[in-house]
């Protein structure tokens, strides 16, 4: 019997993960149908993609572009909506089988919640969803029988290593990190790095927000929190190890001491394809790893003194409640300020630390509590930057 095509909603279709998702779909057009495309502000590319893939629905985040997008797609029988709230609504459509959440930052959180509450299958590239509300999402996933498949390369690696291991306990996991462009730099040098230098990542080609997060190691901190919720671990079972070659994407250590690692050349299409077709592995034409090109795979301990964001993320995980939500909000404001030359590289950590210490603590935050915490943290952080 022929299987029905899976209908996908791609949230963030004009970003790096969105584009790579469409490139994979291009190779398997009989298996996946593009049902919904959403973009925040890149209206021209969204229009081009809509004309090519003929989705049922498109959403443009920025409402002022609605008329232009709608007019451009007038003759194509495509429904056009605008605004962030519409993104969270369209994922609830019955016609959607799988959602690729490739939104950036907090904007991915409410769409994840909506999708989970409809029991959908979610390919999650938006790690901030689990940073902001991991406990709540985990509880809702259970209640509504939703499924989350990680797209983050480290978590995809762990997920792949856990195939067939459902009844075996994890002793610990090692999340690998490239260390970013400033690995090995001392405090004084870090104080003076520019945004241009921070935007040059040695191994991965990504959007600006995650590239800065990789340079500060906040990205790895978020991944520790993400792993805590995806795999049901405690903070002390999650270790970060610097691995500059980015060949081993992460490692699981089981109770018998045995370790499984997943390796490949760094390319996000691997994790994206794994999530879209799970549990099957599809044939891809991605470049194959030649061991002889990497005669040395090296490992180092992360420098938590100079890259304090990683230590702050462990602290936020330990504090629990709404603190990781505040951590994320403060980080978004700090990264924005760094990208507009209003704060230095190291000041980002000072601002974030002050915010997570001063935010009103809520032990078991509801959805409304998390929305309010995000607002409060943004307000506080913005004030610290002005003063
Ligand atoms: Mn990652």
């Amino acid at each position: 019997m022929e299987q029905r095509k899976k209908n996908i909603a791609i949230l963030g279709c004009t970003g790096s993960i969105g584009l790579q998702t469409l490139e994979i779909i291009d190779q398997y057009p009989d298996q996946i149908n593009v049902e919904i495309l959403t973009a925040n502000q890149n209206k021209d590319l969204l229009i081009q993609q809509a004309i090519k893939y003929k989705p049922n629905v498109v959403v443009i985040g920025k409402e002022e572009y609605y008329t232009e997008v709608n007019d451009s797609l007038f003759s194509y029988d495509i429904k056009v909506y605008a605004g962030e709230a519409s993104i969270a609504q369209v994922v609830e459509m019955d016609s959607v089988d799988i959602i690729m959440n490739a939104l950036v930052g907090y904007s991915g959180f409410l769409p994840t919640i909506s999708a989970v509450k409809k029991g959908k299958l979610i390919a999650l590239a938006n790690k901030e969803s689990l940073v902001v509300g991991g406990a709540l999402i985990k509880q809702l996933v259970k209640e509504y029988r939703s499924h989350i498949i990680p797209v983050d390369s480290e978590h995809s690696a762990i997920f792949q290593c856990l195939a067939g291991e459902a009844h075996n306990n994890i002793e610990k996991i090692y999340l690998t990190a490239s260390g970013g462009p400033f690995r090995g730099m001392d405090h004084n040098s870090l104080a003076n790095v520019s945004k241009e230098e921070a935007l040059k990542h040695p191994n991965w080609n990504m959007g600006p927000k995650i590239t800065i997060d990789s340079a500060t190691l906040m990205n790895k901190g978020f991944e520790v929190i993400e792993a805590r919720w995806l795999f049901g671990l405690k903070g002390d079972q999650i270790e970060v190890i610097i691995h500059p070659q980015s060949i081993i994407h992460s490692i699981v250590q089981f109770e018998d001491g045995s370790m499984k690692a997943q390796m490949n050349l760094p390319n996000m299409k691997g994790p994206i394809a794994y999530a879209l077709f799970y549990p099957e592995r599809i044939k891809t034409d991605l470049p194959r790893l030649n061991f002889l090109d990497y005669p040395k795979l090296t490992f180092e301990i992360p420098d938590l003194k100079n890259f304090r964001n990683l230590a702050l993320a462990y602290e936020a995980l330990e504090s629990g409640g709404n603190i990781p939500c505040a951590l994320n909000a403060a980080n978004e404001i700090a990264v924005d300020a760094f990208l507009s030359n209003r704060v230095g590289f190291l000041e980002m950590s000072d601002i974030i630390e002050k915010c997570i210490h001063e935010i009103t603590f809520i032990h078991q935050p509801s959805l409304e509590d998390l929305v309010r915490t995000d607002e409060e943290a943004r307000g506080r952080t913005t004030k610290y930057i002005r003063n």
Side-chain angles (χ1 to χ4, degrees):
M1 197 182 80
E2 207 181 309
Q3 265 192 323
R4 186 176 69 86
K5 272 196 197 182
K6 278 194 254 185
N7 285 329
I8 191 168
I10 305 177
L11 315 185
C13 60
T14 59
S16 169
I17 297 287
L19 291 172
Q20 295 180 79
T21 301
L22 288 168
E23 284 174 31
I24 289 167
I25 294 171
D26 286 341
Q27 292 173 20
Y28 289 88
D30 321 334
Q31 296 196 39
I32 300 190
N33 173 56
V34 177
E35 175 72 4
I36 297 177
L37 291 174
T38 88
N40 180 35
Q41 55 178 347
N42 194 341
K43 57 178 168 31
D44 298 331
L45 185 52
L46 176 65
I47 291 165
Q48 275 179 35
Q49 291 175 341
I51 291 170
K52 176 173 175 188
Y53 293 98
K54 314 242 167 9
N56 190 9
V57 171
V58 306
V59 183
I60 179 78
K62 283 230 185 319
E63 299 188 27
E64 61 260 43
Y65 297 145
Y66 170 77
T67 309
E68 187 181 340
V69 175
N70 193 45
D71 290 354
S72 306
L73 300 177
F74 178 73
S75 54
Y76 290 93
D77 193 27
I78 297 170
K79 292 180 206 73
V80 179
Y81 301 108
E84 279 200 30
S86 301
I87 299 176
Q89 276 164 16
V90 295
V91 300
E92 298 179 353
M93 288 172 56
D94 287 337
S95 59
V96 173
D97 301 308
I98 178 167
I99 291 148
M100 167 60 78
N101 185 344
L103 296 168
V104 178
Y106 179 81
S107 73
F109 174 57
L110 294 175
T112 296
I113 295 278
S114 299
V116 168
K117 284 185 170 174
K118 283 282 170 179
K120 301 286 188 188
L121 175 62
I122 304 163
L124 189 65
N126 176 259
K127 68 193 79 188
E128 292 91 341
S129 287
L130 288 168
V131 175
V132 171
L136 177 67
I137 289 171
K138 197 170 173 175
Q139 175 211 318
L140 294 173
V141 160
K142 208 171 157 196
E143 190 177 336
Y144 292 94
R145 298 184 185 190
S146 169
H147 295 275
I148 293 180
I149 302 180
V151 174
D152 209 346
S153 62
E154 296 77 3
H155 305 73
S156 176
I158 304 284
F159 193 75
Q160 293 181 50
C161 291
L162 291 175
E165 304 279 4
H167 301 289
N168 294 323
N169 289 329
I170 300 170
E171 191 165 87
K172 69 190 292 184
I173 64 173
Y174 292 87
L175 294 180
T176 52
S178 70
F182 306 138
R183 179 175 61 90
M185 266 195 197
D186 64 18
H187 188 86
N188 290 340
S189 314
L190 282 174
N192 295 311
V193 296
S194 69
K195 70 170 183 192
E196 287 76 19
E197 293 168 299
L199 285 169
K200 281 187 207 130
H201 195 277
N203 302 350
W204 295 97
N205 192 1
M206 307 173 289
K209 200 267 180 178
I210 187 172
T211 304
I212 300 300
D213 286 344
S214 297
T216 64
L217 294 195
M218 183 57 97
N219 180 57
K220 208 50 56 178
F222 284 170
E223 290 181 355
V224 169
I225 299 172
E226 182 186 11
R228 184 259 175 273
W229 296 112
L230 282 172
F231 306 115
L233 302 170
K234 297 199 181 80
D236 62 9
Q237 289 177 291
I238 307 167
E239 194 163 320
V240 171
I241 190 97
I242 304 289
H243 168 46
Q245 298 81 18
S246 296
I247 296 298
I248 292 183
H249 296 312
S250 278
I251 302 161
V252 181
Q253 181 178 314
F254 294 96
E255 287 186 317
D256 62 354
S258 183
M259 292 166 143
K260 280 165 87 172
Q262 188 265 339
M263 54 205 295
N264 205 345
L265 290 168
N267 188 321
M268 283 310 296
K269 281 188 188 165
I272 293 168
Y274 191 78
L276 294 184
F277 294 95
Y278 174 81
E280 275 175 57
R281 288 183 184 275
I282 53 158
K283 196 169 172 62
T284 75
D285 56 5
L286 298 176
R288 267 45 176 171
L289 168 67
N290 178 355
F291 284 107
L292 300 181
D293 293 337
Y294 294 87
K296 277 195 186 125
L297 296 180
T298 61
F299 304 91
E300 301 163 16
I301 296 298
D303 174 1
L304 297 184
K305 285 220 170 65
N306 286 315
F307 294 87
R308 284 171 50 227
N309 281 1
L310 179 55
L312 291 172
Y314 271 106
E315 182 190 326
L317 176 58
E318 185 65 28
S319 306
N322 61 337
I323 303 301
C325 173
L327 177 84
N328 175 68
N331 182 60
E332 285 187 26
I333 300 291
V335 169
D336 260 6
F338 177 70
L339 286 174
S340 54
N341 301 312
R342 284 176 290 141
V343 300
F345 188 81
L346 293 174
E347 279 172 278
M348 286 191 276
S349 304
D350 300 335
I351 294 164
I352 295 163
E353 182 172 36
K354 197 163 151 71
C355 180
I356 64 172
H357 289 166
E358 292 185 356
I359 194 89
T360 314
F361 180 68
I362 303 170
H363 178 55
Q364 283 184 315
S366 66
L367 180 57
E368 294 69 32
D369 292 330
L370 292 170
V371 171
R372 269 196 297 271
T373 297
D374 179 75
E375 280 171 18
E376 183 190 333
R378 280 167 202 273
R380 284 181 183 273
T381 312
T382 305
K383 256 190 229 154
Y384 305 149
I385 292 169
R386 250 192 250 128
N387 294 338

